[in-house]
């Protein structure tokens, strides 16, 4: 990710393993760990919000990280529009179609491919024919785990953008990834080979227990000098994008009269009510 030293960075769907470089965290499910690998981390300014309706002012951030979120949402065009609204640059990561077909996640709504520099999204209408087989192998079989790590670019879509996100939502029933085409295979293998040079270091990192990695990242994140922009200056109503008024226990939008609670110091924009304070 091409994040500059002074960039103010938002991470969408930060979950249990936020990036060290993220300044503000945003997750839709603060208390529900079903679709992530551990307990939520809130070691820096955090808000609970739906990525399709972000509670941040226009261009509040220099860079936005959106990792393993796009495939989950109901309306990807809304999420993508919001990413471009709140930041000038960013990074999107999703499972690739190969990853989806091998592993299969029943709660993923979209299959994503990167074709000629464009994200191509198709409705996920298939269930994995392999069930939990490869999930189990990834946890217990060192040979499969090593293959996955050294060939991880086969299983991922990684897309960095500036200004605009080039994408299309396709209604085509057939896959846009032609694995019978020699050029497609050659491109996939070449892009994977180009990343193998750091494979050994990636394998070593994967051997470190996750709890240790998470703790180290949290310590580094706290030690890093951040650009000081308080949430009060950048939060808006996710419905109408108007500024919100801060009270001790909630935030209030005068324009559309929505109220959002503050629970354990975290603004909860997925909990809403209307009416007078």
């Amino acid at each position: 990710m091409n994040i500059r030293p002074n960039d103010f960075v938002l991470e969408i769907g930060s979950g249990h393993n936020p990036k060290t470089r993220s300044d503000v965290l945003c997750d839709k499910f603060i208390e529900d760990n079903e679709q992530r690998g551990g307990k939520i981390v809130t070691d820096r300014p955090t808000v609970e919000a739906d990525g399709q309706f972000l509670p941040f002012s226009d261009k509040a951030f220099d860079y936005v990280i959106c990792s393993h979120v796009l495939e989950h949402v109901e309306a990807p065009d809304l999420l993508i529009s919001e990413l471009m609204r709140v930041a000038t640059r960013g990074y999107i990561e999703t499972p690739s179609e190969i990853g989806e077909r091998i592993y299969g996640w029943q709660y993923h709504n979209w299959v994503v491919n990167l074709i000629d520099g464009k994200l191509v999204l198709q409705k996920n209408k298939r269930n994995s024919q392999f069930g939990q087989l490869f999930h189990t192998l990834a946890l217990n079989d060192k040979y499969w785990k090593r293959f996955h790590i050294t060939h991880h670019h086969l299983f991922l879509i990684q897309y960095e953008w500036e200004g605009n996100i080039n994408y299309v939502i396709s209604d085509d029933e057939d896959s846009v990834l032609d694995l019978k085409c020699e050029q497609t295979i050659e491109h996939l293998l070449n892009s994977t080979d180009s990343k193998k040079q750091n494979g050994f270091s990636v394998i070593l990192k994967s051997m470190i227990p996750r709890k240790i990695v998470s703790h180290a990242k949290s310590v580094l994140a706290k030690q890093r000098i951040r650009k000081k922009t308080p949430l009060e200056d950048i939060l808006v109503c996710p419905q109408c994008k108007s500024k919100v008024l801060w009270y001790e226990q909630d935030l209030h939008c005068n324009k559309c009269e929505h109220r959002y609670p503050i629970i354990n110091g975290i603004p909860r924009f997925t909990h809403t009510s209307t009416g007078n304070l």
Side-chain angles (χ1 to χ4, degrees):
M1 288 181 281
N2 185 31
I3 300 176
R4 299 161 188 163
N6 293 322
D7 279 349
F8 189 42
V9 181
L10 168 67
E11 183 170 354
I12 307 295
S14 52
H16 68 289
N17 191 27
K19 305 293 188 290
T20 302
R21 188 58 183 79
S22 302
D23 296 296
V24 175
L25 307 180
C26 177
D27 201 285
K28 185 178 180 180
F29 304 106
I30 296 293
E31 297 170 351
D32 182 357
N33 296 320
E34 180 182 359
Q35 296 185 25
R36 57 172 168 255
K39 185 179 178 181
I40 189 78
V41 172
T42 57
D43 59 357
R44 64 206 83 165
T46 303
V47 301
E48 181 184 79
D50 186 334
Q52 298 166 114
F53 305 96
L54 290 174
F56 304 106
S57 56
D58 294 358
K59 298 298 183 283
F61 299 92
D62 302 299
Y63 199 95
V64 57
I65 300 168
C66 183
S67 184
H68 295 271
V69 175
L70 182 60
E71 68 274 14
H72 291 263
V73 300
E74 295 81 13
D77 53 330
L78 289 180
L79 173 61
I80 290 172
S81 176
E82 285 288 80
L83 296 179
M84 292 188 289
R85 183 183 65 80
V86 302
T88 55
R89 301 172 4 259
Y91 172 80
I92 295 173
E93 181 174 303
T94 73
S96 67
E97 182 170 353
I98 294 172
E100 285 286 355
R101 298 300 166 238
I102 289 178
Y103 287 101
W105 292 272
Q106 62 181 3
Y107 41 77
H108 286 180
N109 293 320
W110 301 91
V111 174
V112 185
N113 281 291
L114 183 60
I115 307 294
D116 297 329
K118 176 183 289 189
L119 294 174
V120 181
L121 290 86
Q122 295 175 283
K123 197 68 177 176
N124 189 7
K125 296 183 178 179
R126 306 179 191 175
N127 293 319
S128 172
Q129 66 189 89
F130 303 113
Q132 292 297 306
L133 172 61
F134 286 98
H135 288 281
T136 303
L137 285 173
L139 289 173
N140 302 307
D141 188 287
K142 65 179 181 180
Y143 300 107
W144 176 255
K145 185 175 182 179
R146 178 170 295 186
F147 176 84
H148 183 105
I149 291 171
T150 56
H151 294 76
H152 71 285
H153 283 76
L154 285 177
F155 303 98
L156 292 176
I157 296 298
Q158 297 174 300
Y159 176 80
E160 194 162 27
W161 59 275
E162 181 170 357
N164 291 289
I165 298 171
N166 190 12
Y167 78 100
V168 64
I169 298 175
S170 174
D171 293 326
D172 198 331
E173 294 285 337
D174 297 324
S175 171
V176 297
L177 185 67
D178 185 3
L179 294 178
K180 295 180 180 180
C181 173
E182 291 184 5
Q183 290 181 328
T184 300
I185 299 294
E186 183 179 353
H187 174 74
L188 287 171
L189 295 180
N190 286 342
S191 62
T192 300
D193 288 339
S194 68
K195 304 295 183 181
K196 281 187 178 180
Q197 57 185 338
N198 295 320
F200 185 66
S201 63
V202 173
I203 291 174
L204 288 177
K205 290 178 182 178
S206 71
M207 297 172 66
I208 303 173
R210 180 176 290 174
K211 287 185 178 179
I212 294 177
V213 173
S214 297
H215 177 70
K217 290 173 70 175
S218 180
V219 170
L220 289 172
K222 290 177 181 178
Q223 289 179 345
R224 194 177 64 78
I225 299 174
R226 303 181 190 282
K227 180 179 178 181
K228 302 296 183 181
T229 302
L231 288 180
E232 289 87 344
D233 291 347
I234 59 175
L235 286 184
V236 299
C237 173
Q239 303 297 323
C240 69
K241 309 308 181 189
S242 298
K243 292 289 288 185
V244 290
L245 300 176
W246 284 67
Y247 294 87
E248 185 175 350
Q249 296 182 340
D250 61 14
L251 300 97
H252 181 221
C253 175
N254 278 335
K255 184 174 181 179
C256 64
E257 297 188 347
H258 281 98
R259 289 185 290 168
Y260 308 96
I262 300 173
I263 304 174
N264 297 324
I266 298 175
R268 304 293 186 94
F269 288 99
T270 60
H271 300 66
T272 181
S273 61
T274 57
N276 296 324
L277 287 171

